[in-house]
């Protein structure tokens, strides 16, 4: 297990380096000048040079990447002052340390992700199980068509509609907003309830369909028939045998989804004006803010890579045929 | 007259499919006595497996219509409630499947798969059940059962897996064991071992066995009685000596002629049964075998396409064919015997 972890973490580090390098070079592959963008409309050449130097983009791209990489482990000196490790640089736009900006935004994204994941796992897997158990019967048809409708929903539309109906008209829910969990757990919960529900609609639909098809497949397996042939009650056959086999593909997708959500639920954050990682990434792109862009890319990539490792470890736990080595 | 241990009467199994109703089993009757082995032979789709899944009530009731009687030890099974069947399965009636790799759960240790069956039906404690699992593994000839009880199916060879399967099936000392092609997926050398094991365990426990196979060699080795099935019906029935020694039905002749033999000379060609098995949605009228039968003319004009021949006599060596007994003897002696 520890050898597996060590090997996979090393691999993850390599992947993250490749991703950050690609981001770096792609940024400069497009002819652009972040310095001119930051300097403003009226910008004398001397000032532009100075801005360039302050940003660190007057150096060759390779060297820039090298400085950026070293900065993560050893810290870095800027014209504005010292940036301690782990240093992801300063924002081109407002000179805020990138690391602080991400740490500041991450709780919002994490809260959004965890809440939504709980909702879509619970409802998605639950509905998928019921549909599989009632194959071809009304419950299955209702679940299947509901998931088809759910999968074609648009977050911004449903989000605005839900807020208007549930908050403005019926006044059943709190207006969506982020409050810190540690400060006020009740407000944290009620403020995020609508974003959670709306964000999880599409996921719930997908997990319902995935769970159903995975369970249907397992239920026709020989070993499930054996379980029934040896007199296991149908509940046991369903949960302890079929579900055990059906879990694999669902966990794989869940790992990817969780990673992607932690990289920022851009549309959901925009719809409910939540200040998470997703909002940071939009600003980074719009403002040609390279250090910020690298920062959010790194967060998203790290989340996906780490959850991949977790998924692989979980696989070995579920299926004894899989070996971690 | 004693009541047979398992008695199947006029069993009919129909499946609803998108293409129409599949008549998988159509009016099948047979008996199995304790301590004996009945071999059920036939090609794929002849209804062998379907019949036996029906005995265990393993068909999805939403798509399956079962009629007739299945009486096990005085209990009627076709109308029994689901819970009663669940208590019976694995306990009084156990089943062994063809491919032990896919039929054992890959997610649970073999010890657990054996002991959970035992606990389910006896209410034994974890410890007792584990001890029983080890004992069963020893009985079926798994070396070092104490250390292997926690291993998973993929850590065993094919033959060992089938032994595990047998251990699991026999853990509650069932009165009836249904073995569905138990040796088909195994090496020839292992096949013989598994058949010997079944025979040996049967001698110890007195279990009745239904052995489903398409291999007449297996039947000759392991069974006392044979039932030959075709298109969901029994076409011939009798003791192994009767059916394999003096077969009467043209389909049985076909099966025997298509089987390679060690003792016969290489010059004797194998004769396959011509044609293909019939569709079970549109079963041929009359004798379902008539489109593939070479002896219709001798039976009499239009006899075989008219009414369906019944299995006769009702006890002993019987067959469902319109040829007269004299004809059957003559054809067998003149044309069939030399091929065997």
């Amino acid at each position: 297990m520890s050898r597996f972890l060590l090997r996979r973490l090393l691999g993850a580090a390599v992947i993250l380096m490749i991703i950050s390098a690609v981001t770096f070079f792609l940024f400069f592959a497009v002819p652009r000048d972040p310095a001119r963008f930051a300097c403003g409309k009226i910008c004398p050449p001397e000032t532009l040079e100075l801005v360039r130097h302050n940003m660190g983009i007057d150096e060759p791209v390779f060297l820039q990447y090298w400085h950026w990489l070293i900065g993560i482990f050893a810290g870095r000196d800027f014209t504005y002052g010292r940036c301690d490790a782990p240093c992801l640089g300063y924002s081109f736009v407002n000179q805020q340390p990138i690391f602080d900006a991400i740490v500041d935004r991450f709780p919002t994204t994490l809260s959004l992700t965890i809440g939504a994941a709980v909702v879509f796992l619970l409802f998605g897997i639950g509905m998928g199980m019921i549909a599989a158990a009632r194959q071809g019967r009304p419950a299955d048809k209702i679940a299947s068509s509901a998931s088809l409708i759910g999968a074609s929903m648009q977050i911004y539309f449903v989000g605005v509609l839900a807020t208007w109906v549930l908050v403005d008209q019926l006044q059943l829910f709190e207006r969506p907003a982020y409050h810190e969990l540690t400060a006020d757990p009740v407000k944290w919960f009620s403020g995020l309830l609508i974003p959670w529900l709306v964000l999880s609609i599409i996921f719930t639909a997908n997990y319902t369909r995935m769970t159903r098809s995975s369970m249907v497949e397992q239920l026709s397996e020989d070993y499930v028939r054996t379980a029934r042939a040896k007199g296991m009650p149908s509940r046991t056959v369903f949960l302890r045998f079929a579900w055990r086999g059906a879990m694999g593909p669902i966990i794989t997708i869940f790992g990817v989804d969780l990673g992607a959500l932690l990289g920022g639920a851009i549309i959901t954050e925009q719809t409910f004006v939540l200040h998470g990682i997703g909002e940071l990434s939009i600003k980074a792109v719009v403002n040609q803010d390279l250090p910020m862009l690298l920062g959010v890319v790194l967060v998203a990539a790290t989340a996906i890579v780490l959850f991949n490792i977790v998924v692989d470890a979980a696989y070995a736990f579920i299926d004894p045929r899989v070996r971690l080595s | 007259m004693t009541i047979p241990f398992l008695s199947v009467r006029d069993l009919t199994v129909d499946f609803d499919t998108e293409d129409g109703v599949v008549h998988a089993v159509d009016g099948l009757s047979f008996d199995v006595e304790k301590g004996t082995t009945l071999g059920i032979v036939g090609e794929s789709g002849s209804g062998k497996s379907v019949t036996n899944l029906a005995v265990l009530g393993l068909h999805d009731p939403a798509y399956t219509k079962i009629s007739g009687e299945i009486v096990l030890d005085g209990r009627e099974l076709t109308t029994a409630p689901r819970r009663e069947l669940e208590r019976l399965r694995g306990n009084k009636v156990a089943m062994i499947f063809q491919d032990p790799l896919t039929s054992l759960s890959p997610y649970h240790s073999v010890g657990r798969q054996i002991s959970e069956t035992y606990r389910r039906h006896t209410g034994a404690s974890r410890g007792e059940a584990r001890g029983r699992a080890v004992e069963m593994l020893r009985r079926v000839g798994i070396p070092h059962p104490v250390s292997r009880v926690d291993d998973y199916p993929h850590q065993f060879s094919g033959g060992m897996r089938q032994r595990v399967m047998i251990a699991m099936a026999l853990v509650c000392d069932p009165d009836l064991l249904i073995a569905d092609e138990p040796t088909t997926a195994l090496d020839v050398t292992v096949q013989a071992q598994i058949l010997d094991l079944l025979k040996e365990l049967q001698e110890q426990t007195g279990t009745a066995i239904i052995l489903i196979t398409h291999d007449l060699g297996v039947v000759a080795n392991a069974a006392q009685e044979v039932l030959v099935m075709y298109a969901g019906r029994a076409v011939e029935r009798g003791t192994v000596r009767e059916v394999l020694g003096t077969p009467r039905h043209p389909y049985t002749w076909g099966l025997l002629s298509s089987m390679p033999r060690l003792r016969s000379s290489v010059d004797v060609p194998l004769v396959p049964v011509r044609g293909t098995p019939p569709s079970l949605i549109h079963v041929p009228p009359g004798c379902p075998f008539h489109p593939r039968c070479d002896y219709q003319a001798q039976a009499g004009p239009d006899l075989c396409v008219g009414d369906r021949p019944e299995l006769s006599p009702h006890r002993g060596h019987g067959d469902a064919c319109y040829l007269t007994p004299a004809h059957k003897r003559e054809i067998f002696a003149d044309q069939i015997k030399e091929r065997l």
Side-chain angles (χ1 to χ4, degrees), chain B residues 13-289:
Chain B
V13 182
D14 290 339
F15 296 120
D16 258 333
T17 68
E18 284 176 10
D19 302 325
V21 179
V22 174
H23 306 285
V25 179
D26 190 358
L28 182 69
S29 302
F30 63 88
D31 298 329
V32 187
E33 296 293 350
K34 270 198 164 178
T36 66
T37 301
L38 169 73
I40 300 186
V41 197
E43 53 200 349
S44 313
S46 60
K48 318 180 290 258
S49 297
V50 171
T51 302
N52 289 287
L53 291 174
V55 171
L56 271 86
L58 282 180
H59 292 298
D60 185 346
Y63 303 102
T64 318
K65 229 182 89 220
I66 296 178
S67 65
E69 278 178 19
I70 302 172
V71 181
L72 178 84
D73 208 5
R75 233 178 314 190
E76 165 58 49
L77 300 187
T78 50
T79 54
R82 186 173 55 94
R83 284 184 182 282
E84 195 183 322
L85 284 175
E86 278 177 5
R87 276 197 296 273
L88 218 64
R89 286 182 212 142
N91 189 14
K92 295 270 175 223
V93 189
M95 196 153 179
I96 303 170
F97 295 100
Q98 177 173 342
D99 185 349
L101 179 59
T102 57
S103 296
L104 288 167
S105 164
Y107 309 112
H108 305 96
S109 70
V110 298
R112 170 144 183 213
Q113 296 190 50
I114 298 170
S115 61
E116 73 187 349
T117 314
Y118 191 63
R119 292 188 66 198
R120 157 88 175 133
H121 296 294
T122 61
S125 72
R126 261 171 213 283
E128 285 166 4
R130 193 185 155 85
R132 174 76 177 170
V134 172
E135 183 200 324
M136 288 310 295
L137 288 177
R138 181 173 293 124
R139 270 175 68 186
V140 297
I142 304 265
H144 315 296
V146 178
S147 59
R148 300 228 64 184
V149 70
D150 292 319
D151 283 351
Y152 291 89
H154 70 274
Q155 292 163 311
F156 289 84
S157 67
M160 286 296 154
R161 268 183 224 129
Q162 195 58 292
R163 285 171 191 264
V164 168
M165 193 82 207
I166 293 172
M168 195 169 84
L170 296 181
V171 69
C172 293
D173 288 324
D175 299 323
L176 174 65
L177 178 69
I178 299 171
D180 191 350
E181 309 248 6
T183 58
T184 308
L186 303 175
D187 286 345
V188 183
T189 47
V190 181
Q191 283 186 13
Q193 291 171 14
I194 294 292
L195 290 178
D196 287 346
L197 176 67
L198 282 177
K199 232 190 265 184
E200 187 189 317
L201 293 170
Q202 183 178 39
E203 276 161 24
Q204 291 168 16
T205 59
T207 307
I209 297 180
I210 297 178
L211 185 67
I212 304 170
T213 179
H214 58 260
D215 186 343
L216 286 167
V218 167
V219 167
N221 253 313
Q224 289 90 46
E225 304 260 332
V226 194
L227 186 76
V228 181
M229 282 187 71
Y230 186 80
R233 301 165 193 201
V235 293
E236 185 159 2
R237 176 208 58 217
T239 63
V240 168
R241 177 187 288 270
E242 287 163 349
V243 175
L244 300 188
T246 54
R248 293 180 188 162
H249 195 282
Y251 177 61
T252 317
W253 295 340
L255 278 183
L256 285 165
S257 314
S258 64
M259 195 175 73
R261 309 219 163 199
L262 269 185
R263 265 181 300 174
S264 65
S265 88
V266 220
D267 307 333
V268 181
L270 291 177
V271 185
V273 183
R274 72 179 166 84
T276 50
S279 149
L280 293 177
I281 296 176
H282 307 288
V283 184
C287 172
F289 188 63

Side-chain angles (χ1 to χ4, degrees), chain A residues 70-93:
Chain A
I70 290 299
I72 295 176
F73 301 101
R76 207 174 155 187
D77 287 309
F78 283 93
T79 336
Y80 328 109
R82 172 83 187 154
C83 166
D84 288 323
C87 174
L88 294 170
Y90 289 94
S91 162
F92 281 174
V93 179

Side-chain angles (χ1 to χ4, degrees), chain A residues 16 88 102 106 259 262-264 277 294-304:
Chain A
L16 292 178
L88 294 170
I102 287 172
F106 197 67
L262 284 177
I277 303 283
L294 285 165
V296 292
V297 164
L298 209 58
V299 170
T302 308
I304 290 175

Side-chain angles (χ1 to χ4, degrees), chain A residues 10 29 33 45 50 54 74 110 112 127 168 182 206 254 272 303 310:
Chain A
L10 277 175
D33 193 348
L50 194 65
N54 284 348
L110 188 65
L112 193 59
M127 278 165 59
D168 296 330
T182 45
N206 287 335
F254 181 60
F272 297 108
V310 173

